[in-house]
Amino acid sequence: MTTDRRAEGRGRTARAADAVEQVSDTRALDVAARLGFAALAVVHILIGVIALRLAFGGNGEAEPTGALEEVAEGPLGTPIMWICAVGCAGLALWQLSEATLRARHLPTGERIGKHISSGALVVIYGSMAGTFARFGLGDGPDSSESTVDFTRSLLSSGPGVVLVFVAAAVVLGIGAHFVVKGIRRGFRPELRTFEDTTRGRLIDLLGVVGHVAKGLALLLVGGLFVIAGLNRDPQESTGLDGSLKALQYHPFGVHVLTVIAIGLVCYGVFAIIRSVFGRM
């Protein structure tokens, strides 16, 4: 009897999960997720443009909040911020359904990997939705200061240095993932519409250059976390803006900064194409 009840309970749970999965597979969520993906794509393009400006002696903050601040100050800034906030929230919900409802159909090893990868994206996209909303309210944060504050809070805790190194490992791991994904063209299953066409080869190039550049940028950010942990100094961890600006003071650093900047623009263009034609 106990076994029958357990089996019946599992059956009800599975049917409920199937029903929720069907609800999550709606046109509205798909459109919101694509909108969020496009919004983040534009953010990457803006960061790349600001980084190019830095490479040629200009100024600006080459980070998400720096890019958003320039848009938010425009005449349509507030409604754009709220539209992007809704899109990123939809993207976070879509990734949540990927991490839970759809992951349950995968083999054990792939399921665990999906829990981790999509779960991390839920946090990232959710935080971006919050950032867009804060700019919509006129209270946009500063990423560099936020990163320093985050590092300071880690260092002030009991296992402080260990936690900073864990954060560094996470960022470095994500950066390495993007580099490998770009080199191996692991993004191809996400965008099959233009395969074996001239446009497809161009999109392929954008994907390779863009993913590798984004990965390198994240590796730089992770490197600053490592330095902050070794020196026990939160001021060393200044996020993407600080890592890119630091390149200006190294041999060939301006050239590296230029390459990463162009690559981030390529990633943004690729992501816009994916948001329209890609598999979600």
Side-chain angles (χ1 to χ4, degrees):
M1 291 292 290
T2 302
T3 302
D4 291 340
R5 288 197 192 96
R6 288 177 179 172
E8 184 179 349
R10 285 194 294 268
R12 284 197 298 267
T13 301
R15 287 192 295 273
D18 289 337
V20 176
E21 182 176 347
Q22 289 180 355
V23 171
S24 70
D25 191 19
T26 61
R27 179 64 177 168
L29 183 58
D30 180 78
V31 170
R34 291 179 186 276
L35 175 62
F37 208 86
L40 295 179
V42 173
V43 170
H44 281 83
I45 292 174
L46 292 173
I47 293 173
V49 171
I50 294 171
L52 271 177
R53 191 192 305 163
L54 294 174
F56 288 94
N59 53 24
E61 295 184 32
E63 57 180 355
T65 57
L68 295 184
E69 186 176 0
E70 295 195 5
V71 177
E73 291 176 350
L76 298 176
T78 298
I80 290 175
M81 292 299 104
W82 283 112
I83 291 172
C84 292
V86 171
C88 285
L91 192 54
L93 286 175
W94 177 75
Q95 283 293 347
L96 180 61
S97 69
E98 288 285 303
T100 55
L101 300 173
R102 292 172 180 79
R104 63 198 173 96
H105 302 299
L106 300 173
T108 302
E110 293 181 28
R111 183 168 65 249
I112 293 173
K114 192 65 175 176
H115 288 330
I116 296 172
S117 61
S118 291
L121 289 176
V122 170
V123 176
I124 293 171
Y125 295 148
S127 65
M128 282 303 301
T131 300
F132 276 114
R134 287 184 63 179
F135 273 102
L137 293 170
D139 180 33
D142 183 292
S143 288
S144 293
E145 291 182 4
S146 298
T147 306
V148 171
D149 291 340
F150 173 69
T151 307
R152 182 180 292 110
S153 66
L154 293 181
L155 287 173
S156 62
S157 63
V161 176
V162 174
L163 292 179
V164 172
F165 286 144
V166 169
V170 171
V171 177
L172 290 171
I174 296 174
H177 166 74
F178 272 96
V179 172
V180 173
K181 184 177 181 179
I183 293 174
R184 293 184 175 178
R185 292 168 171 78
F187 51 81
R188 280 179 170 174
E190 302 167 359
L191 189 61
R192 296 185 179 276
T193 306
F194 302 104
E195 277 188 337
D196 301 322
T197 66
T198 301
R199 272 186 281 185
R201 287 188 286 274
L202 175 59
I203 294 170
D204 210 38
L205 177 62
L206 290 172
V208 172
V209 174
H211 280 80
V212 171
K214 180 171 180 175
L216 291 176
L218 289 170
L219 289 174
L220 290 173
V221 175
L224 290 184
F225 271 113
V226 172
I227 295 173
L230 291 174
N231 295 334
R232 292 173 170 76
D233 182 5
Q235 297 296 330
E236 298 281 4
S237 180
T238 52
L240 181 59
D241 181 61
S243 63
L244 293 180
K245 286 179 177 176
L247 289 174
Q248 297 173 298
Y249 307 102
H250 292 274
F252 305 106
V254 172
H255 302 291
V256 176
L257 175 58
T258 303
V259 170
I260 291 177
I262 294 173
L264 289 174
V265 173
C266 289
Y267 180 85
V269 174
F270 170 85
I272 288 176
I273 296 171
R274 183 187 181 283
S275 71
V276 178
F277 299 103
R279 178 183 63 82
M280 298 297 290

